[in-house]
Each structure stands twice: as structure tokens, then as C-alpha cells.
């Protein structure tokens, strides 16, 4: 029974470890950040320290995996049991089932005793069980060691009495040879369990044997040697095909914004920060925020960099996640800040302190200040940004904002101005805005910006997803934009970059000169 108990606990540990190792986005950060009890502060401090969190993540994944494998196989059983008890003690300490209510969703109700404690006590029982009562690799290893250390002394066989077994036969009946065939097979009981676990784990990940693939190909009427994937499976019938990195047609070209080297396509950050501009779909902001957990953001950054995109434009609220991406050595994508927040000057300083390569006056806030004729305030923010030693820009959704700044004598290092046409069904041209229009006068914007000597980063070119990239990119680039700021999900990046490369090639000759 103790052997079965040991294998069952090992199965649980090993599966938990394999799942975490197979998921590149897994991290204990959320678990640690929500820790409770007397040691909550220590756990939360680990989550706040990228180096410590990385070490804890690795220790957790590999600890579970190695302890689980050892328990299943019965190898180093006592050491594995003690290691498992230590892990369970830490899990118990992070969320002790005391009198306070447990945070988040829980699957049961506990008071002092929970599953972690029960499993810990079960491992304690395994750890103190005599080796002779546990089947596994440990008894086999011990028997081999004894055989090498000393040879059994030769004994004169007893003369058998009629109808009675010899002493050797009696000894074998009481204590069978640990290296005998039956004993070896019994002590290898963990191997089938380990094989079953690995097979089940692979099947859960979507793996199919060659035989299963061949059968599926036959049933689908295809050639088994080269089964063809016709669709991406999902929870719905509708399917999509997304380009992979191998389909990339080239790297995004770069240009100079002052001394700053900047890719012609800049990764936008609204959807990563949770601003979807989904018209009247009120749940979408939360949906896109949930999709973009930390590791998905890192994955998106990394993929963008592989396509030649070297800048990410967003709000200072994402400063820390960008810095962590750099600190982990995952990439070098640059950060352009919109300085949005309660105070533009404070946010500009914070952004530069976190490594921003450029800053600009937030478009919505610039629109509001321009409507109140507070151009002197916009000028003060420009001066504060320049004092930080980075390029300073002015953003705006309204053409009146740009015109007012020009008339007030403001000269930013670049403009962040929306540009998109109104030829989409929710455009509602000429009617009240309902989170559906971001470039109020596109034709007049194109005409006015044509005369501006400063570089122009065009944003909202897709009208928050209402215009197809092939149409939007060509429209913006042919009509004067020097850079495109585009919000892209990870699965869209390669396809959008391929479209942008074509649009850039077609837009080299245009009416507005390239200003960067």
C-alpha cells in the first residue's frame, strides 16, 4: 500500500512539473502576489524581484518534476519524500487555511487541514517506511551494491530429507533473492506508471502516434505519408490561417527621428494595456487585458523584434513590464511613452527613468488642452520632455489640436496624429462620435500635414480594427505618414508586417516628402 501511495503522490508531482515546463508562459508570479498569511510579505517580495522570481519558477518546475519522477520510480525515495514535503510546506505557508477567507476561487473549504497538509503527512509516512516494505529502484540498487561489496560465503548444502525442503529453499521462501526475476519485475513497478503518465501527458498536449496519424489520414482520404493540415482547430467551426515567422517576407526598414533609430512600423500598446476601443462591446477591454498576461506580452515583443520592429508605444503604466523584458535579457525593443496620467510632466520623467527613448504629449490630453487654448501648458510639457534628453512630440486626434499648436509657435520633434478614412460601416461620418472615429477630418489632415516639416507618426490607422491592414497601411503611407503605429496581436504580427512591406514599397513616390 505504501508503494501505491508513493507512486500516486509522485504522479501528482510529476504531472504538475511537466505541465509547467511545457508552458513557456507559466510563472508563479500571480500565485505569489496573492499569497496570504504571516509569510505573505516574503512571497510578494519574490514576485516583485525578477531575478528571484525566475529562480523560484525554475526551482518549482524542476523540483516538482524531479521529486515526482523519483517517487514514481522509487529512486532516492527518502530524499524525494523530504523534498516533496518541503515544497508542500511552502505551498501551505503561502495560503494557510486559517480563519481568514481564502482569496479567489477555491474548490473546497478548509480549516488548518487542506490537501497540501494531507499530502505532506502522506509523504512523511513514506519517508519513515522501512525500505524493505517499498518496491522500487532503491532495493535493486542496494542489492547490486551488496553483491559488489561482498560475495556470499560458500556453504555446504544440507542433505535433503525425504519430503522436506533444504535450508536454502526455506531462506528463499522467506526472503526471496532481490535480484531474482520476480523481484526485479516487482521493483520495476514504477516504470509502467511513468510510461502511462508520459503517454497521457503527450496525448493531452495533442500528440498522436504515427499509427493514429496514418489512420486519420486514411479516414480523411489523404496520403498517409504527407498528411495535410486543412484548418486550425478551435472551439468553433470557423477557422483561420495565420502566417508564421517562416512566412516573413523581410525586415521592417528603419528611419531616423532625430538621432533615434526607429522602425517604420511601431508596435502600438492600447490593446495590451486594455484599451480596445470596441465601440459598444463593453467586455472587450477586459478580454484583451486577460489575453495579454505578462508572458504573452513578452512573446509579442520578441516576435515583433524578429520582424524588425524596434519600438513599442504605450502608456507609462506598462513601464515596469517593459523593464522586466529588458532585465530578463529577452530583447531590446525601445519604448515610446505617451506620458498619460494625472500629470504629464511627472509621467514624462517616470517614463525616461524607466528607459523611454522618446515621449509625447498624450493625444487625448493634448486635445483637451487645445480646446481650452492652453497651448502654453503643452509647451511646458514639451520643454520638460526635452530636458530629459529625449525627442519630444505632440499627440492629437483632432486636426484643430495640431493647427492650434502650430499657430501658437510650438515645434515638436515629431507629431503623433491619427489618420484613417471613414469608409467603414461604424464610421458614422458627420454624426456624434461613439468611440468609433479618431481622425475627424482625414482629407484636411492630409493637406495640413503635407506642409509640416516634422516627422509624422500616424496612429489609429486601422480605426481600432475597423479597416483591413492592406487598405489602412497604403492609405496612411501614400498620404504622408512617416511611421505607422499599429496595435497587433502576436498572431497578426507577421501578416501585418508583410502587408506593411508591400505598402512601403508602393509609397516611395508620394506627394508629401519623407520627413524621416
Amino acid at each position: 500500500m505504501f508503494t501505491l501511495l508513493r507512486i500516486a503522490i509522485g504522479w501528482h508531482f510529476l504531472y504538475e512539473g511537466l505541465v509547467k515546463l511545457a508552458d513557456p508562459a507559466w510563472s508563479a508570479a500571480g500565485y505569489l502576489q496573492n499569497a496570504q498569511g504571516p509569510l505573505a510579505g516574503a512571497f510578494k517580495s519574490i514576485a516583485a524581484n525578477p531575478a528571484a522570481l525566475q529562480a523560484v519558477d525554475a526551482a518549482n518546475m524542476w523540483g516538482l518534476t524531479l521529486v515526482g519522477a523519483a517517487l514514481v520510480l522509487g529512486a532516492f525515495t527518502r530524499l524525494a519524500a523530504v523534498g516533496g514535503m518541503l515544497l508542500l510546506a511552502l505551498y501551505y505557508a503561502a495560503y494557510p487555511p486559517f480563519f481568514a477567507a481564502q482569496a479567489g476561487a477555491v474548490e473546497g473549504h478548509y480549516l488548518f487541514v487542506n490537501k497540501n497538509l494531507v499530502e505532506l503527512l502522506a509523504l512523511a509516512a513514506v519517508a519513515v517506511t522501512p525500505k524493505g516494505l517499498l518496491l522500487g529502484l532503491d532495493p535493486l540498487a542496494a542489492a547490486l551494491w551488496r553483491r559488489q561489496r561482498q560475495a556470499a560465503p560458500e556453504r555446504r548444502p544440507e542433505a535433503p530429507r525425504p519430503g522436506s525442503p533444504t535450508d536454502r529453499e526455506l531462506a528463499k521462501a522467506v526472503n526471496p533473492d532481490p535480484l531474482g526475476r520476480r523481484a526485479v519485475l516487482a521493483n520495476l513497478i514504477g516504470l509502467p506508471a511513468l510510461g502511462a503518465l508520459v503517454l497521457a501527458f503527450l496525448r493531452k498536449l495533442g500528440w498522436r502516434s504515427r499509427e493514429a496519424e496514418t489512420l486519420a489520414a486514411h479516414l480523411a482520404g489523404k496520403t498517409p505519408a504527407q498528411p495535410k493540415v486543412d484548418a486550425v482547430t478551435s472551439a468553433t467551426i470557423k477557422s483561420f490561417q495565420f502566417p508564421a515567422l517562416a512566412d516573413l517576407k523581410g525586415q521592417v526598414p528603419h528611419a531616423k527621428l532625430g538621432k533615434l533609430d526607429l522602425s517604420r512600423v511601431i508596435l502600438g500598446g492600447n490593446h495590451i494595456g486594455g484599451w480596445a476601443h470596441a465601440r459598444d462591446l463593453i467586455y472587450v477591454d477586459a478580454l484583451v487585458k486577460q489575453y495579454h498576461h505578462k508572458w504573452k506580452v513578452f512573446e509579442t515583443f520578441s516576435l515583433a523584434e524578429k520582424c524588425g520592429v524596434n519600438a513599442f508605444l504605450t502608456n507609462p503604466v506598462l513601464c515596469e513590464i517593459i523593464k522586466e523584458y529588458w532585465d530578463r535579457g529577452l530583447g531590446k525593443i525601445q519604448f515610446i511613452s505617451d506620458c498619460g496620467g494625472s500629470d504629464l510632466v511627472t509621467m514624462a520623467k517616470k517614463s525616461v527613468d524607466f528607459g523611454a527613448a522618446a515621449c509625447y504629449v498624450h493625444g487625448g490630453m493634448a486635445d483637451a488642452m487645445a480646446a481650452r487654448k492652453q497651448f502654453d501648458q503643452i509647451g511646458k510639457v514639451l520643454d520638460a520632455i526635452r530636458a530629459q534628453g529625449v525627442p519630444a512630440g505632440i499627440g492629437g486626434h483632432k486636426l484643430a489640436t495640431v493647427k492650434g499648436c502650430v499657430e501658437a509657435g510650438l515645434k515638436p520633434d515629431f507629431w503623433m496624429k491619427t489618420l484613417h478614412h471613414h469608409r467603414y460601416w461604424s464610421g458614422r461620418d458627420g454624426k456624434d462620435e461613439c468611440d468609433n472615429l479618431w481622425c475627424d477630418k482625414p482629407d484636411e489632415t492630409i493637406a495640413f500635414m503635407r506642409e509640416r516639416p516634422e516627422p509624422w507618426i500616424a496612429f489609429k490607422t486601422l480605426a481600432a480594427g475597423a479597416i483591413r491592414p492592406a487598405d489602412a497601411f497604403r492609405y496612411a503611407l501614400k498620404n504622408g505618414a512617416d511611421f505607422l503605429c499599429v496595435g497587433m496581436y502576436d498572431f497578426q504580427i507577421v501578416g501585418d508586417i508583410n502587408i506593411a512591406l508591400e505598402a512601403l514599397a508602393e509609397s516611395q513616390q508620394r506627394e508629401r516628402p519623407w520627413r524621416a
Side-chain angles (χ1 to χ4, degrees), residues 2 5-6 71 77-83 85 120-131 134:
F2 282 105
L5 179 64
R6 185 202 72 212
L71 290 173
T77 302
R78 285 181 177 167
L79 180 61
V82 172
M85 291 168 63
L120 187 154
L121 295 174
L123 279 181
V126 170
V128 299
T129 300
K131 291 182 178 180
L134 292 173

Side-chain angles (χ1 to χ4, degrees), residues 34-52:
N34 295 309
Q36 299 177 338
L39 300 179
F43 290 115
K44 291 178 180 180
S45 66
I46 293 173
N49 186 321

Side-chain angles (χ1 to χ4, degrees), residues 118-186:
V118 170
E119 205 166 20
L120 187 154
L121 295 174
L123 279 181
V126 170
V128 299
T129 300
K131 291 182 178 180
L133 297 180
L134 292 173
L135 297 174
L137 297 184
D138 285 338
L140 288 178
L144 287 170
W145 178 255
R146 286 195 300 270
R147 174 171 288 185
Q148 291 180 350
R149 292 281 294 178
Q150 58 185 11
E154 295 185 3
R155 297 178 59 186
R156 180 178 298 175
E158 295 179 355
R161 293 193 296 266
S164 65
T166 64
D167 287 346
R168 186 178 294 276
E169 290 171 338
L170 287 171
K172 286 184 177 181
V174 175
N175 185 23
D177 181 6
L179 294 178
R181 182 172 60 87
R182 291 184 179 179
V184 170
L185 290 175

